[in-house]
C-alpha cells in the first residue's frame, strides 16, 4: 500500500499507481514478469546488490554527475538561478545507463545470458549494448526501421559494441513498434532471455524498478543543491517521453511541497496540429505495452503515431506513475514544440558550451521561457538528460538555411 | 445453456473434436469479411473466433498483424465488428462466436457498454489476450452479468500453482496456447500437447481448445485426438492474404479459397477425432 503521508510509496503489490500501471500482458509473459519481480525484490533486499551497483555507477558510469550552475543562461533569462544536472556526462552520454547497469546486474543474478531491448533514438540501445559488452551478455536490440535511418551513428555504436540490431518494419517502424517486437521476441524466448526495458513504462515491476535505478539522479541533485544553495530548489524541470530521467530527478522531492515540479512533453508541430508526442496533454487513459496510462489514440482505441523531432520522446504513451502524479496534481505537465526545443538547443550550446540532447532541449525550452518571470532568488534545477552529439544531423537538417555560421 | 456449452455437448455426443477458426473482422474489407464469416459454419467451423482489429497486436505474428492493419485501413472498428456479428446471427443462431483481441479498444469503448452491446449482437465469449487474471476483474464482472464467457489462455510457461489461479476465473472453454511464441510461427509436437492437455484436465472440467501454430489438416487431426477443439488462425489469414490482388483488394476467388481451406481442416477433424 502507498503510505498515506508519502507520494513515494507506490506502486501497490500489483503494480498500480492509482488506476494506472498494472500488468497487461499475454499469459505466456506473466511467469517471466513475476520472476523478474521476485528477483528484483530479492536484489533490493540484498546489501551486496546495492554495493555492487554503486561501485559500477562510480567507477564505470562516472557518477556522481555534476550539478552545474548555468551562469550565462541565468543572466540571459534574467530571473531564476538555473542549475543543470549533468546526465550528459555519464558514460554513453545520457541517463539511460543508470538503469541498464542495474538491470544487467539483475539479469546476471537471474542467470539470463541473452538481453533484448527496444530503442527509439538509440540511446537506450547503446546503453544496453554497452552493459552487455561489460558483462559478456548476448544482446539483441529492436529498433524501428525509420529510427535506424535517422539515428545512424547510434546504430553503428551498437554494432561496434557487439549487439545485433534488428530492424522493425511494422506500423510506422518507430519506438512503439520496436517495443511490440521486443515483447514478441520475449514470448518466444522466455527461458534464456531478459527484457531490459529502457523507461518507466511496461508491465509491473518495470515502471517501479527503472524508477528506482534512475532515482540516483534526484538523490545526488538533492545533496548537490543543498551544498550549493543551502536549501531545496524551488523548481525542478525535466523532459518526458516515457519519463525515466524525469521520475529519477523528481522522485526524491515528491514529498517536499515547496518544490514545484514540471514535466515537459514534446509538442512536436504544436498540440493543435495533431502531430505531437504529448500523451498527457493530448491523450487519454488506455492500455498498451503492459500498463494502463495516458495514450495518444483515436476514438476507437487504436494507438496513434507520435511525432517529435526528438526520437527519444517519439512515443505515444508515458510512464504510469507520471499519469498518476498528473491526475493527483502533484506535478505540472507542460509541453514544448520542435521549434522551441531547437531554439533552446542553440541557446544552451552558445551560452554554456553544452550541446544538449534534443530531448533535454525540451526541458531547457520551457525552463528558459519561464525563468524570466521568476524572481532572482528562485532556484531551478533542470535535468540535462543527455548530450546532443547524436542529434547533430537532425538539427542541421531542421535548421536548413538558417544553419548557424 | 450457452451456445458454447451446447456446441461442445453436441460435439461430445458425436464423438469428435471441434474446429475453431479465426479471422479478423473487416479483413480485407467489411463486405468480404462478412461473406467469409457467414460461410464458415457450412464450411465446417464449429466455433468462430472473430478478431477485433487493433493497431498493436503484441501477441500476434506477422500474418495476423497484417490482417489487423488491413481491417483498420478498410474502416473496421469495434462498432463494425459488433454489427458483423449481429448480421451473422440473422442466419445462424447456433454457432458460437467468440471475440478475440486486446483490451484497449474494449476499455475505450467502455467495458460495460461493450459487454452489453456484444451480448445483444449475439457474441458468446471473449478472449482478451493482454488481460491476465491479475487484471481481469474489470471485465469478468460486466461480462458475466450479460452471460458472456471470458475464455482464459494458458501457456506452456504457466506453472502448476499459477494454473489453478488462472483457471479459477475460466468459463466457456480453456484456450491452450501450445507454443511459447506469437501466433502463426512455430508448432508444438503432439507429445507436448498431450501432456499439457492432461495437466489441464486435472484442473478443469471445461473443454480444452488448442491453438497457436496449427496450420494443416494433419496437425488439426493430431490435436483432435487429444483435445476438445483445435484452433486455426494464421493459416486461414494467410490464405485470405493470398487472395488479395495487386492493389490489396479482395480478388475474385478470395472467399472461396478461404472456405475451401476451412473444409480441408474440417475434414482433418473428422479423420482425427476419437471419443
Amino acid at each position: 500500500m502507498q503510505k498515506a503521508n508519502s507520494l513515494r510509496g507506490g506502486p501497490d503489490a500489483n503494480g498500480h499507481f492509482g488506476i494506472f500501471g498494472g500488468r497487461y500482458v499475454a499469459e505466456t509473459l506473466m511467469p517471466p514478469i513475476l520472476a523478474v519481480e521476485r528477483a528484483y525484490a530479492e536484489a533490493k533486499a540484498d546489501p551486496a546488490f546495492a554495493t555492487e551497483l554503486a561501485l559500477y555507477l562510480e567507477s564505470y558510469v562516472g557518477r556522481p554527475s555534476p550539478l552545474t550552475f548555468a551562469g550565462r543562461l541565468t543572466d540571459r533569462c534574467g530571473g531564476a538561478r538555473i542549475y543543470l544536472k549533468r546526465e550528459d556526462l555519464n558514460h554513453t552520454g545520457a541517463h539511460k545507463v543508470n538503469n541498464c547497469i542495474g538491470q544487467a546486474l539483475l539479469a546476471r543474478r537471474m542467470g539470463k545470458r541473452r538481453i533484448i531491448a527496444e530503442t527509439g533514438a538509440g540511446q537506450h540501445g547503446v546503453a544496453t549494448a554497452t552493459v552487455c559488452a561489460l558483462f559478456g551478455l548476448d544482446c539483441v536490440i529492436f529498433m524501428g526501421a525509420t529510427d535506424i535511418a535517422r539515428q545512424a551513428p547510434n546504430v553503428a555504436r551498437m554494432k561496434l559494441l557487439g549487439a545485433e540490431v534488428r530492424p522493425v518494419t511494422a506500423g510506422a517502424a518507430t519506438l512503439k513498434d520496436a517495443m511490440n517486437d521486443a515483447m514478441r521476441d520475449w514470448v518466444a524466448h522466455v527461458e534464456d532471455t531478459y527484457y531490459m526495458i529502457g523507461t518507466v513504462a511496461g508491465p509491473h515491476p518495470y515502471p517501479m524498478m527503472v524508477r528506482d535505478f534512475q532515482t540516483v539522479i534526484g538523490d545526488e541533485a538533492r545533496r548537490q543543491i543543498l551544498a550549493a544553495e543551502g536549501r531545496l530548489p524551488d523548481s525542478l524541470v525535466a523532459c518526458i517521453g516515457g519519463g525515466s530521467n524525469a521520475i529519477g530527478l523528481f522522485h526524491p522531492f515528491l514529498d517536499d511541497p515547496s518544490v514545484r515540479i514540471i514535466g515537459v512533453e514534446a509538442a512536436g508541430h504544436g498540440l493543435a496540429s495533431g502531430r505531437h508526442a504529448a500523451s498527457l496533454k493530448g491523450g487519454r487513459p488506455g492500455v498498451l505495452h503492459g500498463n494502463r496510462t495516458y495514450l495518444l489514440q483515436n476514438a476507437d482505441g487504436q494507438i496513434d503515431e507520435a511525432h517529435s523531432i526528438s526520437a527519444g520522446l517519439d512515443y505515444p504513451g508515458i510512464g504510469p506513475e507520471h499519469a498518476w502524479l498528473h491526475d493527483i496534481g502533484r506535478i505540472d505537465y507542460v509541453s514544448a514544440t520542435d521549434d522551441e526545443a531547437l531554439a533552446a538547443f542553440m541557446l544552451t550550446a552558445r551560452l554554456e558550451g553544452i550541446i544538449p540532447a534534443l530531448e533535454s532541449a525540451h526541458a531547457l525550452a520551457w525552463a528558459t521561457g519561464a525563468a524570466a518571470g521568476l524572481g532572482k532568488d528562485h532556484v531551478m534545477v533542470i535535468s540535462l538528460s543527455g548530450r546532443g552529439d547524436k542529434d547533430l544531423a537532425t538539427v542541421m537538417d531542421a535548421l536548413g538555411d538558417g544553419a548557424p555560421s | 445453456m450457452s451456445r458454447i456449452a451446447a456446441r461442445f455437448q453436441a460435439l461430445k455426443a458425436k464423438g469428435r473434436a471441434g474446429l475453431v477458426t479465426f479471422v479478423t473482422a473487416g479483413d480485407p474489407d467489411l463486405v468480404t469479411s462478412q461473406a467469409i464469416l457467414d460461410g464458415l459454419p457450412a464450411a465446417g467451423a464449429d466455433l468462430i473466433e472473430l478478431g477485433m482489429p487493433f493497431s498493436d497486436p503484441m501477441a500476434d505474428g506477422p500474418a495476423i498483424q497484417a490482417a489487423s492493419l488491413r481491417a483498420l485501413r478498410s474502416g473496421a472498428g469495434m462498432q463494425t465488428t459488433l454489427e458483423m456479428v449481429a448480421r451473422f446471427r440473422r442466419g445462424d443462431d447456433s454457432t458460437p462466436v467468440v471475440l478475440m483481441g486486446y483490451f484497449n479498444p474494449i476499455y475505450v469503448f467502455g467495458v460495460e457498454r461493450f459487454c452489453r452491446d456484444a451480448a445483444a449482437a449475439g457474441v458468446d465469449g471473449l478472449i482478451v489476450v493482454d488481460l491476465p487474471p491479475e487484471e481481469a476483474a474489470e471485465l469478468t464482472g460486466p461480462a458475466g452479468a450479460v452471460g458472456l464467457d471470458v475464455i482464459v489462455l494458458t501457456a506452456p510457461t504457466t506453472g502448476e500453482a499459477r494454473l489453478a489461479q488462472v483457471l479459477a476465473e475460466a468459463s466457456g472453454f480453456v484456450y491452450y496456447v501450445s507454443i511459447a511464441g506469437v501466433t502463426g510461427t512455430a508448432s508444438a509436437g503432439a507429445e507436448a500437447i498431450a501432456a499439457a492437455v492432461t495437466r489441464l484436465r486435472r484442473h478443469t472440467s471445461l473443454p480444452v481448445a488448442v491453438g497457436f501454430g496449427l496450420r494443416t489438416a494433419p496437425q488439426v487431426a493430431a490435436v483432435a485426438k487429444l483435445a476438445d477443439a483445435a484452433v486455426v488462425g494464421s493459416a486461414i489469414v494467410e490464405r485470405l492474404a493470398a487472395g488479395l490482388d495487386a492493389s490489396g483488394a479482395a480478388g475474385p476467388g478470395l472467399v472461396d479459397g478461404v472456405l475451401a481451406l476451412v473444409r480441408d481442416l474440417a475434414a482433418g477433424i473428422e479423420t482425427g477425432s476419437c471419443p
Side-chain angles (χ1 to χ4, degrees), chain B residues 259-271:
Chain B
L259 296 179
L261 173 61
V262 173
R263 276 191 293 274
D264 286 349
L265 296 168
I269 286 272
E270 294 284 355
T271 60

Side-chain angles (χ1 to χ4, degrees), chain A residues 333-346:
Chain A
Y333 292 90
V334 298
S335 63
T337 64
D338 288 354
D339 288 346
E340 290 164 345
L342 278 167
F345 179 99
M346 299 298 305

Side-chain angles (χ1 to χ4, degrees), chain A residues 16 22-28 30-31 34 176 180 184 187-188 190 284-287 289 292 297 299-303, chain B residues 53-58 60 65 72 77-78 104 107-108 129-130 132 134-135 138 153 155 157-158 162 180-182:
Chain A
H16 295 110
R23 286 175 288 220
Y24 295 86
V25 296
E27 177 56 30
T28 318
M30 278 305 295
L34 293 170
K176 99 178 158 77
N180 288 337
R184 289 179 186 123
V187 167
V190 290
R284 58 210 172 96
V287 172
H289 291 154
R292 186 184 334 236
Q297 55 181 323
D300 195 44
Q302 309 299 335
I303 309 303
Chain B
F54 184 46
S55 53
D56 294 79
M58 280 160 289
D60 285 300
Q65 291 174 41
L72 291 172
M78 194 58 91
N104 196 54
Y107 177 67
V108 168
V129 177
D130 56 351
E134 283 81 353
E135 307 290 352
E138 192 173 347
L153 299 164
T157 51
T158 312
R162 183 166 174 81
V182 295

Side-chain angles (χ1 to χ4, degrees), chain A residues 84-162:
Chain A
L84 304 175
K85 179 59 175 163
R86 302 291 305 280
E87 294 301 298
D88 59 315
L89 294 178
N90 293 340
H91 178 48
T92 71
H95 70 291
K96 293 289 186 187
V97 71
N98 302 329
N99 166 51
C100 290
I101 293 276
Q103 289 200 55
L105 290 173
L106 184 67
R108 206 172 61 169
R109 273 176 84 99
M110 294 176 73
K112 306 288 185 186
R113 301 291 314 163
R114 179 175 181 267
I115 305 293
I116 58 170
E118 81 294 336
T119 197
Q123 291 303 100
H124 175 55
V126 167
T128 302
T130 298
V131 300
C132 286
L134 175 65
F135 294 114
L137 302 166
D138 295 336
C139 182
V140 179
I141 303 293
F142 292 84
M143 188 170 187
T146 306
D147 288 336
I148 286 178
R150 60 178 173 174
Q151 302 289 340
N154 273 344
V155 175
R157 277 184 197 105
M158 287 184 266
K159 289 180 176 169
L160 268 173
L161 291 161

